[in-house]
Amino acid sequence: MKNQMMFFKKAWLLVLALLLLGVLSACGAPADESSVPPEEDEPAAGQQEEPSYTTHSTQGVAFQVPADWTQAEGTDLFYATGRPEVYGLNGVSPLGSYEPQEFYKALVEHYEETNQFSDLQTAESMSSWQSADGVDCYVADFTGYQDFILYCSKLIIAPQKNLVLTFCGQANAETLGDTAPVWDQLNELCESLTFEIGTQDEITGNTFLCGDGSQLCLQEGGDFRWYQSAEDHEKPYYEGVYEVRRGQAAMDMVASMTEYGLTMEELERVLAASMNGYIPGESRPIDYLYAMGELEDDRERYQVCLDTFYAVILHNQRLVTSPEEVREGGNSTLYIGFYLPELGMADLTNCNAGSNTQWTFQEKTA
């Protein structure tokens, strides 16, 4: 138990460090009133212009900011035009294998122990919340001061996206009469939040080059052909129909296939461990210890989440040797794993054979 707690402690510190890095590297004090660019000429009396917004895309998420705001160089924070205030995204981290409320509690305890903020006000617990694109999240607000700067921060955790986000509004407390306008602006920005991770099916209708040199062509209509070689389609090939599930639907389907002996609890444990940092290839139990920070590791890791988890079933129906020679019958094979968009590759386990395979995207199937 002691060693296990050491793993958790180190992982907490790693995740919190990533999150706090954004907080501490924010734009700094908002500009003085005198240094803020003057506002544009107001419309004539009786006229009212519709506000114009632009979408800012970064680190797997997107949100809208007024088009006339100025982005602070090297950050995802923006200076509000005509006001000594700063708003935006200032912290991004993977959630890993932790529960949202546990993460939030540890973060608040860290702030309290380090006295990073004066007059720190925090919510007792996180609340359920939904992003603009319908992703279920948890959210909590906290307010604090550093010197004469007000920090209004909104912590948003999206478990199915494996993301922890902190949005902030910063203002000069000496010239601010009420914190409500800062919170109103920050809430408006967060209400536009959408996610760009695991938003579409990356498998259906595509052609892949497999690790053994074979080629898998998945038709949009649900048929497939599996050629022994991408260069030679004249050799005998398999054809049949396939099924693709993604996210929670994939977990549910696999757990229901009792012949494979994979329970929902086991699948959730695999997902939680993978979200600490995923290494493509045949996984080993020791990789979990690397991900928790107990062992040094310089291998490239990738962020995965529930929405990038796939289950693919190939129902082999025919072996085609030639147009005249077709052998009916075949078995079904289940593949489960993650799609890594950075690599354009699905890293999968063949549940029938217990082996690893990688499908690299080639093109949309003609």
Side-chain angles (χ1 to χ4, degrees):
M1 178 63 73
K2 180 179 179 181
N3 287 339
Q4 185 180 32
M5 291 305 295
M6 286 177 62
F7 298 157
F8 285 149
K9 182 177 181 182
K10 290 188 177 184
W12 273 120
L13 293 176
L14 174 62
V15 175
L16 287 173
L18 290 172
L19 183 65
L20 293 172
L21 180 63
V23 176
L24 297 176
S25 63
C27 291
D32 294 331
E33 291 280 4
S34 59
S35 64
V36 176
E39 294 191 38
E40 300 292 332
D41 293 337
E42 296 193 7
Q47 296 180 345
Q48 187 167 353
E49 291 185 354
E50 288 293 328
S52 177
Y53 293 88
T54 184
T55 299
H56 180 66
S57 175
T58 179
Q59 303 186 73
V61 301
F63 54 92
Q64 293 187 332
V65 297
D68 61 349
W69 284 11
T70 303
Q71 184 174 358
E73 184 177 356
T75 75
D76 296 307
L77 299 167
F78 296 81
Y79 295 106
T81 300
R83 307 195 305 274
E85 299 166 10
V86 176
Y87 296 91
L89 176 66
N90 72 334
V92 180
S93 169
L95 177 62
S97 57
Y98 304 108
E99 294 297 323
Q101 184 58 34
E102 291 176 317
F103 187 100
Y104 176 61
K105 181 180 178 182
L107 181 62
V108 172
E109 288 176 352
H110 177 85
Y111 285 152
E112 292 174 341
E113 290 172 359
T114 59
N115 295 316
Q116 183 175 338
F117 296 103
S118 61
D119 298 326
L120 181 65
Q121 301 174 31
T122 65
E124 184 175 343
S125 62
M126 303 198 77
S127 304
S128 297
W129 186 78
Q130 200 171 70
S131 65
D133 54 349
V135 174
D136 291 328
C137 304
Y138 294 89
V139 64
D141 296 341
F142 51 91
T143 304
Y145 296 84
Q146 284 185 3
D147 298 325
F148 300 107
I149 307 303
L150 165 71
Y151 286 83
C152 297
S153 296
K154 183 180 291 290
L155 180 70
I156 299 175
I157 298 181
Q160 75 184 73
K161 301 297 184 181
N162 190 20
L163 281 178
V164 178
L165 311 168
T166 48
F167 286 87
C168 78
Q170 303 173 23
N172 190 322
E174 291 185 314
T175 61
L176 188 71
D178 185 6
T179 63
V182 178
W183 273 113
D184 288 344
Q185 183 69 75
L186 180 59
N187 287 331
E188 180 181 337
L189 182 148
C190 292
E191 288 296 330
S192 68
L193 173 67
T194 57
F195 292 88
E196 299 177 330
I197 296 175
T199 58
Q200 62 184 13
D201 182 350
E202 303 282 2
I203 302 292
T204 299
N206 292 330
T207 293
F208 297 92
L209 181 65
C210 305
D212 60 359
S214 61
Q215 185 183 53
L216 177 62
C217 302
L218 304 174
Q219 301 285 343
E220 283 285 354
D223 297 322
F224 79 86
R225 286 187 178 182
W226 196 322
Y227 298 100
Q228 296 181 47
S229 168
E231 288 76 30
D232 186 358
H233 287 187
E234 299 303 319
K235 292 181 178 179
Y237 60 86
Y238 287 98
E239 63 180 18
V241 296
Y242 70 96
E243 302 176 56
V244 175
R245 300 289 188 278
R246 180 171 64 88
Q248 189 60 51
M251 302 275 280
D252 293 339
M253 184 181 75
V254 174
S256 71
M257 302 175 72
T258 56
E259 64 268 31
Y260 290 99
L262 295 170
T263 66
M264 181 61 74
E265 182 180 3
E266 289 170 331
L267 291 170
E268 289 175 346
R269 284 205 301 266
V270 170
L271 174 64
S274 298
M275 291 199 308
N276 286 316
Y278 188 77
I279 300 174
E282 192 167 2
S283 62
R284 302 167 298 162
I286 198 171
D287 285 336
Y288 180 72
L289 303 185
Y290 283 116
M292 297 296 284
E294 178 65 11
L295 301 174
E296 291 187 9
D297 180 24
D298 58 0
R299 289 175 294 174
E300 185 73 22
R301 291 185 173 275
Y302 296 88
Q303 186 166 345
V304 298
C305 64
L306 175 60
D307 286 346
T308 60
F309 177 78
Y310 283 81
V312 182
I313 306 177
L314 300 182
H315 299 288
N316 297 291
Q317 296 177 329
R318 289 169 295 278
L319 173 61
V320 180
T321 303
S322 68
E324 296 77 26
E325 187 177 351
V326 178
R327 184 185 304 172
E328 298 288 341
N331 63 349
S332 297
T333 306
L334 170 67
Y335 296 87
I336 62 173
F338 297 95
Y339 189 84
L340 308 174
E342 301 97 320
L343 302 178
M345 180 187 76
D347 190 61
L348 305 169
T349 296
N350 179 327
C351 294
N352 293 54
S355 59
N356 173 261
T357 185
Q358 296 177 338
W359 298 353
T360 301
F361 173 79
Q362 285 190 302
E363 60 187 359
K364 293 293 292 183
T365 303

